[in-house]
Amino acid sequence: MELLQNLAIGFDAALTPLNLLYCLGGVFLGTLIGVLPGLGPVATIAMLLPATFALPPVSSLIMLAGIYYGAQYGGSTTAILINLPGESSSVITALDGYAMARKGRAGVALSTAALGSFFAGTVATFLLAVFAPPLAEIALKFGPAEYFSLMVLGLVASVVLAHGSLLKAIGMIVIGLLFGMVGTDVNSGVPRFTFDTPELADGIGFVAVAMGMFGLGEIIKNLEDESTRAVFVKNVTGLMPTKQDFKDMVAPILRGTALGSALGILPGGGAMLSSFAAYSLEKKMSKNSANFGKGAIQGVAAPESANNAGAQTSFIPMLTLGIPSNPVMALMIGAMIIQGIQPGPAVMTEQPALFWGIIASMWIGNFFLIVLNLPLIGMWVRMLSIPYHILFPGILVFCAIGVYSLNNTAFDVYLMAGFGVLGYIFAKLECEPAPMLLGFILGPMMEEYLRRAMTLSRGDPTVFFTRPISATMLVLAALALAVVLMPAIRKKREEAFQEE
């Protein structure tokens, strides 16, 4: 009964004309940036953060959430039609989706992706509504020591689940923590790492970091290697799957939804990990695994269901604990902070319309996506012919205007440019920027909880090990790090990264 009352609050907030408009705009923009390779939800949300200043908190977060799960839909369109995933989570969909398109079954592949994503999104949103409140209640019992240990676990998990070199991932976390320490110390009032620059007294702006690393960094990388977009299918027909197609896709959609929902909650998980895991599971369970990569409908249904489920359940730790499970959730936390909202379990009790409005909007957004996407396939196909060198000047101008409008200072624009160059350098060195962003977001919060815990314990560091919940999370973090440091695991991890 309480769940129904909460959902009534959510739908009351989400069904206002303004919020419906922003939900529609978010999912449409999400699909668009998913369709256009080189643009992703991280870069787009980073660029739109300044715009959220002028919007009500509920509207802005509904729009940003719509961009994220909308991009999972859009990414499949390019993966199927031109074998070029618009979103990283759609990489695996291209294997069988493009093969289906070459066999004249592009319409069936696109409708399979849309139906799987719609079902998975609906189920994952229900799970979010059911499990978020009890998790938030548990989180309310957390003290500073538990929160510090939880953030340590989150950072370690993001390192464990990152691709490539473990040492590079740890290094990126440390760099993020160091950037997060720039500014005036709250307790002593002493400037730290400001190099006598007054503009850095309040710390490095989150928007400048996000726009630079994920906006400008992506622009430079894509200009260096602009892919040729040869659209294989000019006109998409035959959208309705056959009776056998429905029979073949039901089980993969159910398994993909279940697996994606579980993996989406993990720090560092989300849509990409879910889609790869679902494809691997389906291939192992299939009686005709040799068909995978040659146009198996299961190879489209499973990963597309998993990535949408993973995208939506990744909101659970963000909304209930204030812990980002991936870079997009880190940006969502940044948007909440910009709006003056402290992320964490108190959001559900202090701002129920915001909390439940976001959840209710996901059902509405998934409905919008299924109605919008299939009729607009022809438009998406035409948009794929736009060269990237024509798109990037507009993106660049939008980034500069957005970051300048924060404090009306050119210093923020220079800062964004510096982080753009840094993002490109990290990409060339094969260092993922995501762990750095998580470290940048969580660093100041970790420092605050560390100091609180030490103050309450009168300087006794054993408080982190004598409190059961805190000790359990630290042990889990240590075990995860120990497992991934094993030589066999490290070798397999780096080989997988090189194959990608």
Side-chain angles (χ1 to χ4, degrees):
M1 185 61 71
E2 186 180 354
L3 176 62
L4 294 177
Q5 291 173 348
N6 290 329
L7 288 176
I9 294 171
F11 278 108
D12 187 50
L15 288 174
T16 62
L18 181 66
N19 288 340
L20 282 173
L21 180 64
Y22 280 111
C23 182
L24 178 62
V27 297
F28 180 83
L29 184 59
T31 306
L32 174 63
I33 59 102
V35 165
L36 294 173
L39 290 173
V42 179
T44 306
I45 292 173
M47 288 187 282
L48 286 175
L49 281 179
T52 60
F53 273 117
L55 300 178
V58 179
S59 302
S60 62
L61 290 168
I62 282 175
M63 179 184 71
L64 296 179
I67 290 171
Y68 181 40
Y69 57 82
Q72 312 310 319
Y73 274 73
S76 64
T77 303
T78 49
I80 291 166
L81 295 180
I82 62 173
N83 199 27
L84 185 62
E87 219 335 75
S88 58
S89 59
S90 299
V91 169
I92 204 77
T93 305
L95 296 177
D96 286 280
Y98 186 63
M100 287 181 71
R102 293 190 69 86
K103 292 179 179 179
R105 306 196 72 211
V108 175
L110 288 167
S111 58
T112 300
L115 291 171
S117 296
F118 176 73
F119 175 80
T122 303
V123 172
T125 305
F126 175 75
L127 294 175
L128 173 57
V130 170
F131 290 110
L135 190 58
E137 285 183 22
I138 294 170
L140 286 169
K141 298 175 183 177
F142 278 27
E146 285 79 9
Y147 266 113
F148 174 79
S149 300
L150 177 65
M151 290 175 187
V152 169
L153 177 60
L155 288 179
V156 169
S158 71
V159 168
V160 170
L161 295 172
H163 296 285
S165 168
L166 181 68
L167 187 61
K168 288 179 181 178
I170 294 173
M172 293 298 284
I173 287 278
V174 173
I175 291 172
L177 292 172
L178 289 173
F179 280 133
M181 291 175 68
V182 174
T184 304
D185 184 86
V186 178
N187 288 1
S188 65
V190 176
R192 300 184 301 187
F193 306 113
T194 60
F195 302 100
D196 296 324
T197 306
E199 290 87 352
L200 291 176
D202 291 330
I204 297 174
F206 171 76
V207 177
V209 175
M211 277 196 181
M213 295 291 290
F214 294 100
L216 299 193
E218 284 294 313
I219 288 174
I220 299 169
K221 191 171 66 174
N222 289 320
L223 283 175
E224 184 186 47
D225 182 27
E226 183 176 352
S227 301
T228 303
R229 300 174 194 174
V231 181
F232 182 74
V233 181
K234 298 293 183 184
N235 295 305
V236 178
T237 55
L239 292 172
M240 183 58 68
T242 64
K243 189 175 180 181
Q244 184 61 43
D245 289 333
F246 277 115
K247 186 178 178 182
D248 290 339
M249 74 169 76
V250 169
I253 287 175
L254 291 173
R255 284 191 288 265
T257 301
L259 186 60
S261 297
L263 292 177
I265 301 171
L266 297 175
M272 188 168 71
L273 179 66
S274 300
S275 62
F276 276 82
Y279 188 87
S280 299
L281 175 66
E282 214 55 46
K283 193 173 181 180
K284 286 177 182 176
M285 294 190 69
S286 175
K287 296 177 181 177
N288 300 309
S289 58
N291 290 337
F292 278 73
K294 299 177 183 177
I297 196 168
Q298 297 92 333
V300 175
E304 282 303 305
S305 303
N307 71 33
N308 212 265
Q312 303 206 18
T313 55
S314 64
F315 281 83
I316 292 177
M318 191 277 287
L319 286 173
T320 58
L321 302 173
I323 301 293
S325 57
N326 55 54
V328 173
M329 293 303 105
L331 292 170
M332 293 289 287
I333 285 180
M336 293 174 76
I337 293 170
I338 285 172
Q339 293 281 0
I341 300 166
Q342 181 60 42
V347 172
M348 190 177 72
T349 53
E350 293 175 3
Q351 304 216 28
L354 173 72
F355 186 92
W356 292 103
I358 293 172
I359 292 175
S361 74
M362 291 181 184
W363 273 307
I364 299 167
N366 274 288
F367 174 73
F368 282 156
L369 283 168
I370 199 78
V371 171
L372 276 175
N373 273 328
L374 295 179
L376 292 178
I377 284 172
M379 186 180 81
W380 302 138
V381 170
R382 285 192 293 274
M383 291 202 70
L384 290 172
S385 60
I386 302 174
Y388 189 75
H389 65 265
I390 293 175
L391 286 174
F392 93 88
I395 300 170
L396 193 63
V397 170
F398 190 79
C399 283
I401 293 172
V403 79
Y404 180 83
S405 65
L406 290 174
N407 298 310
N408 294 324
T409 171
F411 181 80
D412 287 338
V413 180
Y414 298 142
L415 202 61
M416 177 187 71
F419 276 102
V421 173
L422 197 62
Y424 173 72
I425 292 170
F426 285 149
K428 297 300 285 184
L429 295 174
E430 297 182 344
C431 296
E432 286 192 89
M436 195 215 84
L437 187 65
L438 294 179
F440 180 76
I441 285 284
L442 293 180
M445 297 165 68
M446 284 178 67
E447 182 184 11
E448 183 182 346
Y449 286 120
L450 174 64
R451 285 181 165 178
R452 285 185 189 177
M454 293 296 285
T455 301
L456 291 172
S457 67
R458 299 185 179 181
D460 182 9
T462 59
V463 66
F464 299 105
F465 303 98
T466 53
R467 296 176 69 93
I469 298 176
S470 175
T472 301
M473 287 187 286
L474 288 176
V475 168
L476 288 173
L479 286 174
L481 206 53
V483 168
V484 83
L485 281 169
M486 293 170 63
I489 302 291
R490 286 184 65 182
K491 186 178 178 182
K492 188 175 180 181
R493 169 197 179 102
E494 291 178 10
E495 284 175 356
F497 179 71
Q498 287 168 0
E499 285 174 9
E500 290 177 15

